[in-house]
Amino acid sequence: MNSSTDQLRRSLLIATLDSLDAPHYLGPSIISATAKSSETLVVVLLSPLFELRHVQGSEDALAPTAKSLVTPISRTERWDDVQRLLTYVYMQATKVAQDNGRILMDLSVLLRGYEQPLPTDLADGMDMCFLVQGDPGPSQSSAEGALPPLYPVAILGGTFDHLHAGHKILLSMGAWISERKLIIGVTDDIMLQRKLHRDLLESFSVRVEKIRSFLQLFRPDLEYQFAAITDVYGPTGWDPDIQALVVSKETLSGAAAIAKERARKSLPALQAFVIDVISPDSEKLDHEDAELLRQTKISSTLIREWIAKNRDVERNASR
């Protein structure tokens, strides 16, 4: 690894967590690592709360691990806490990247238990690794709830053009609650003809490969199935082997339509999980985090506009 921190292209930040509270103590480290990295930053959050102990057919999904007396959290019961945690980290890094004009910077956040091995090649090509030890806090575990800790098969969908933090939070949460497989519906190229700056849209195959690459980094143990989306239903309109649906707050109407269609076809109902913290108006964010979201724009359209603007500047400069 490069010993200089002045010009880093790719960096890795590894931090330990003792609770699911927004890790404000990590803010300065995330800001510093992002500011010093020009292309890539991978943040790995380690905690015994993140252990994946569930085995199909077993009843010890929330059993304490061999290396810790802390009981892993239920991945469904603590849904809101985990999406809030991811949003905090992504927003801290995204704001710095945008302020430094690095709109296309690749930011990824991984959640790992102490017993879950990190990819052996994770540090390959990294110029610097930052290590942060969390402050010990009160242990948090899951009480028994009405929801199972994991669902065998979950599904989500989107366009996923120029994969950004908002997309990665959605994908992460889908993988977070899946036990065996995550189905990802990706909007087909033919459905995107009226998008702004359509010439800058990534092709279906490029979008799929970027999603696959990220998810295999986030949860390499899962099976990932991709489907081209040409209507609101996708595989939810016919596949009986799906139990959970992950949607954003903006696409709740689609979830309602899916529920009605599955009922009409006598397909099993889906448990819906909503991503609703990627908004400054979310009641689940404190004032400081909500204000940060107001200052941070996350949108594929804005990314394409930025690319178009810079392309025009370069063309004019070359004349």
Side-chain angles (χ1 to χ4, degrees):
M1 291 186 180
N2 193 334
S3 61
S4 171
T5 60
D6 293 328
Q7 295 181 334
L8 305 177
R9 289 176 52 248
R10 306 177 75 248
S11 299
L12 175 65
L13 190 157
I14 301 177
T16 58
L17 298 181
D18 295 287
S19 79
L20 295 181
D21 297 332
H24 292 103
Y25 67 91
L26 273 182
S29 298
I30 296 170
I31 291 170
S32 176
T34 308
K36 292 175 180 177
S37 308
S38 62
E39 295 182 10
T40 301
L41 174 65
V42 177
V43 178
V44 182
L45 303 179
L46 299 174
S47 175
L49 297 169
F50 298 154
E51 296 295 356
L52 186 62
R53 304 293 294 171
H54 190 69
V55 179
Q56 293 184 33
S58 75
E59 297 180 354
D60 64 349
L62 301 179
T65 69
K67 296 181 180 179
S68 173
L69 297 179
V70 177
T71 301
I73 60 173
S74 166
R75 297 193 165 201
T76 53
E77 295 293 340
R78 302 301 293 274
W79 169 271
D80 286 342
D81 296 316
V82 175
Q83 65 165 320
R84 188 163 47 239
L85 170 66
L86 284 172
T87 298
Y88 174 81
V89 177
Y90 270 115
M91 290 308 99
Q92 291 287 331
T94 298
K95 179 65 166 57
V96 175
Q98 291 182 352
D99 287 349
N100 285 281
R102 299 167 187 162
I103 308 301
L104 301 180
M105 186 172 176
D106 186 12
L107 303 169
S108 297
V109 181
L110 312 182
L111 306 179
R112 286 289 198 280
Y114 292 151
E115 296 183 28
Q116 294 172 266
L118 294 173
T120 55
D121 60 349
L122 183 61
D124 291 354
M126 294 294 182
D127 298 306
M128 180 66 69
C129 179
F130 302 87
L131 301 176
V132 183
Q133 180 70 42
D135 294 327
S139 63
Q140 299 180 357
S141 59
S142 295
E144 291 295 327
L147 299 175
L150 295 168
Y151 284 83
V153 181
I155 188 169
L156 54 81
T159 301
F160 301 109
D161 181 51
H162 291 90
L163 200 66
H164 56 62
H167 296 144
K168 288 184 175 181
I169 293 171
L170 175 68
L171 293 165
S172 298
M173 293 306 297
W176 177 252
I177 63 167
S178 300
E179 178 181 25
R180 173 168 54 88
K181 179 169 70 174
L182 176 63
I183 302 173
I184 306 97
V186 182
T187 308
D188 200 331
D189 291 336
I190 199 172
M191 302 291 290
L192 303 175
Q193 301 302 310
R194 297 183 179 180
K195 287 282 189 179
L196 185 64
H197 297 299
R198 184 170 60 86
D199 60 312
L200 294 175
L201 279 164
E202 295 174 323
S203 68
F204 178 84
S205 60
V206 168
R207 287 179 282 134
V208 166
E209 284 311 306
K210 286 188 175 182
I211 296 167
R212 189 194 308 276
S213 177
F214 170 70
L215 285 173
Q216 288 178 340
L217 187 64
F218 187 83
R219 277 282 304 272
D221 58 301
L222 285 182
E223 174 188 351
Y224 297 110
Q225 175 184 324
F226 293 87
I229 297 298
T230 57
D231 58 42
V232 70
Y233 307 116
T236 63
W238 54 265
D239 192 344
D241 187 28
I242 304 174
Q243 298 80 37
L245 171 67
V246 179
V247 296
S248 66
K249 189 175 182 179
E250 293 74 21
T251 58
L252 272 174
S253 59
I258 288 171
K260 186 178 295 185
E261 178 71 1
R262 287 181 71 87
R264 186 180 72 82
K265 293 183 176 180
S266 299
L267 292 169
L270 304 180
Q271 177 65 52
F273 291 88
V274 182
I275 302 291
D276 58 358
V277 299
I278 315 176
S279 167
D281 299 322
S282 174
E283 297 179 354
K284 296 174 182 177
L285 296 176
D286 61 29
H287 174 75
E288 180 181 342
D289 295 342
E291 183 59 32
L292 182 62
L293 267 176
R294 289 189 182 91
Q295 300 173 23
T296 309
K297 304 295 184 182
I298 306 176
S299 164
S300 295
T301 300
L302 289 176
I303 292 174
R304 292 196 300 274
E305 288 178 345
W306 181 87
I307 294 173
K309 180 180 178 181
N310 281 268
R311 179 185 60 184
D312 293 342
V313 169
E314 291 177 0
R315 287 176 176 174
N316 292 333
S318 63
R319 290 176 181 173

